[in-house]
Amino acid sequence: MIRLGRIAYVNMAPVFYRVDAPFEEVSGVPTDLNRALLAGECDLAPISSIEYARHAERLRILPRLCVSSQGAVESIQLVSKTPLERVRTVAVTPESATSVVLTKVLLPEAEHVPLGEEADAKLLIGDAALRSAFEDPTPHYDLGHLWLERTGLPMVFAVWACPDPPPEGLPELEDALVASVRLARAEPEQLAYEASERYGYPAGFLARYFE
Amino acid sequence: MIRLGRIAYVNMAPVFYRVDAPFEEVSGVPTDLNRALLAGECDLAPISSIEYARHAERLRILPRLCVSSQGAVESIQLVSKTPLERVRTVAVTPESATSVVLTKVLLPEAEHVPLGEEADAKLLIGDAALRSAFEDPTPHYDLGHLWLERTGLPMVFAVWACPDPPPEGLPELEDALVASVRLARAEPEQLAYEASERYGYPAGFLARYFE
């Protein structure tokens, strides 16, 4: 049975809404899944787009699924009291690969230190970023928004990838994941209620987030 | 002393953050303040922009203050399970004047009924709209966003107006209100903490809202 990675954030709810195919779930933060896929502990996973780029020769990408945004992505936030042009140090989450590199592109002068250390700004992703934007009045800079401002382009944060040659049963599972996302889009209220129950955010907040 | 209207929603927090001038506060929903200003029970108030337009010959506008948005305003929401192009009835809040007319412009075919009656969609404003967007997974259509899509223009929902001739002490109070908004913009975290305490929303949510 295909061992399928699942990012342990609420943004996965549409992909896993109704998957009509067999799989074994491997849950973790993005950097866990990057490692697990490359180590052969997982057969298919959403991995950081930068990590795919680094290992493209060993991997096959699933072109119909990704985590992307045109503008605000909400779950990737640079939190900073210091105006961005004066940020010299950023404390970065160990959970992310793409957004760490994106921060380097956006703020090339800033040195990175581990999250928890003293810094001008901190980089949060996933549910920690969503929660922080909600609870903490410190200015939050959405990386999807900064990227759109800088380039006019959408940003792809994660792609679904598998080893090449792909595992047996991949086309059926890919179809089932795409169908799940489609169904989730067609039933936004049901998706919001179920995700609210599982992840603990208010249903309306999640409905707006999934839009 | 000038009797100054205050809309009873969290969006007034920046205007009333630090008002360094004497005034007497008259609180109410927008339609209350529209009525109070025209009835002479209040000397200066944020009133619905459509109500200003209806009585422009009797009123003087304060050009440095307004409630406006370029795109999403967040606190004015059309809540509808029915796709907008098929909405035939809208239940509208009695608290609003501008957004009721705006709904007529955006959905000219739809009949309006009082809030609480059966309808395809409902129009909410102020804190009820903010709360609904947060709690209710039903699709929400932001009127500031719909207006920008339709026209490419920002929308002015309320203007500060007084009778003509204006009350004594108006220039000083106007200066103090503008200074309050400026200080609130310069101290976004303090504003968010204080508004959070008064209105009960999380501080981060309010900081993003006031941005």
Side-chain angles (χ1 to χ4, degrees):
Chain A
M1 196 178 311
I2 293 184
R3 295 164 300 171
L4 170 62
R6 176 175 188 158
I7 300 174
Y9 305 147
V10 65
N11 64 1
M12 287 293 108
V15 184
F16 287 86
Y17 180 56
R18 301 282 184 271
V19 184
D20 187 18
F23 65 90
E24 186 184 311
E25 190 173 304
V26 179
S27 183
V29 302
T31 46
D32 292 336
L33 296 179
N34 295 345
R35 196 202 53 74
L37 189 74
L38 291 167
E41 296 163 15
C42 173
D43 307 306
L44 172 64
I47 65 164
S48 303
S49 51
I50 186 68
E51 202 62 7
Y52 170 74
R54 287 170 178 149
H55 301 280
E57 77 294 344
R58 297 172 46 191
L59 298 172
R60 178 181 289 206
I61 202 169
L62 274 58
R64 291 189 290 159
L65 289 166
C66 69
V67 176
S68 65
S69 77
Q70 179 136 23
V73 64
E74 301 190 45
S75 61
I76 306 183
Q77 302 277 357
L78 200 57
V79 183
S80 179
K81 283 188 204 295
T82 307
L84 286 195
E85 62 276 15
R86 288 200 272 124
V87 166
R88 291 294 166 265
T89 49
V90 183
V92 303
T93 172
E95 299 181 7
S96 168
T98 299
S99 56
V100 170
V101 174
L102 183 52
T103 304
K104 277 206 188 295
V105 170
L106 294 166
L107 304 176
E109 308 293 315
E111 190 193 343
H112 289 194
V113 299
L115 196 63
E117 286 190 19
E118 191 74 25
D120 297 331
K122 67 180 171 189
L123 174 66
L124 298 177
I125 70 163
D127 293 13
L130 287 178
R131 206 175 311 113
S132 176
F134 194 66
E135 291 174 356
D136 183 352
T138 304
H140 281 51
Y141 300 87
D142 186 296
L143 256 59
H145 179 76
L146 291 179
W147 179 251
L148 182 71
E149 271 189 348
R150 174 74 68 88
T151 66
L153 295 169
M155 176 73 204
V156 177
F157 295 97
V159 296
W160 268 254
C162 63
D164 196 12
E168 208 181 322
L170 180 78
E172 293 73 19
L173 182 54
E174 182 180 5
D175 286 349
L177 294 171
V178 171
S180 173
V181 172
R182 289 215 176 107
L183 188 65
R185 291 221 178 107
E187 300 177 352
E189 295 171 59
Q190 186 60 26
L191 169 70
Y193 280 124
E194 291 182 19
S196 171
E197 194 139 311
R198 175 172 179 142
Y199 295 94
Y201 297 89
F205 172 79
L206 289 179
R208 312 287 89 81
Y209 174 59
F210 291 134
E211 275 163 12
Chain B
M1 195 178 311
I2 293 184
R3 296 165 299 172
L4 169 63
R6 176 175 187 157
I7 300 174
Y9 304 147
V10 66
N11 64 1
M12 286 293 108
V15 184
F16 287 85
Y17 179 56
R18 300 283 185 271
V19 184
D20 187 17
F23 65 90
E24 186 184 310
E25 189 174 303
V26 179
S27 183
V29 302
T31 46
D32 293 336
L33 296 180
N34 295 346
R35 196 202 53 73
L37 189 74
L38 291 167
E41 297 163 14
C42 173
D43 307 305
L44 172 63
I47 65 165
S48 304
S49 50
I50 186 69
E51 202 62 7
Y52 170 74
R54 286 169 179 150
H55 301 280
E57 77 295 344
R58 297 172 47 191
L59 298 172
R60 179 182 288 207
I61 203 170
L62 274 58
R64 291 189 289 158
L65 289 165
C66 69
V67 176
S68 65
S69 76
Q70 178 136 24
V73 63
E74 300 189 43
S75 61
I76 307 184
Q77 302 277 358
L78 200 57
V79 184
S80 179
K81 282 188 207 292
T82 308
L84 285 195
E85 61 277 15
R86 286 200 271 125
V87 166
R88 291 294 166 265
T89 49
V90 182
V92 302
T93 171
E95 299 182 6
S96 169
T98 300
S99 56
V100 170
V101 174
L102 183 53
T103 303
K104 278 207 188 294
V105 171
L106 293 167
L107 304 176
E109 307 294 316
E111 190 192 345
H112 288 194
V113 300
L115 196 63
E117 286 190 18
E118 191 75 23
D120 297 331
K122 68 180 171 189
L123 174 66
L124 298 178
I125 71 162
D127 293 12
L130 287 179
R131 206 175 312 112
S132 175
F134 194 65
E135 291 174 355
D136 183 352
T138 305
H140 281 51
Y141 300 89
D142 185 297
L143 256 60
H145 180 76
L146 291 179
W147 179 252
L148 183 71
E149 270 189 349
R150 175 72 68 89
T151 66
L153 296 169
M155 176 72 204
V156 177
F157 294 97
V159 296
W160 269 254
C162 64
D164 197 13
E168 208 181 322
L170 181 78
E172 293 73 19
L173 183 53
E174 183 181 5
D175 285 349
L177 294 170
V178 170
S180 173
V181 173
R182 288 215 177 109
L183 188 64
R185 289 221 178 108
E187 300 176 352
E189 296 172 58
Q190 186 60 25
L191 170 71
Y193 280 125
E194 291 182 18
S196 171
E197 193 139 311
R198 177 174 178 141
Y199 295 94
Y201 297 88
F205 173 79
L206 289 179
R208 314 287 89 82
Y209 173 59
F210 291 134
E211 276 164 12

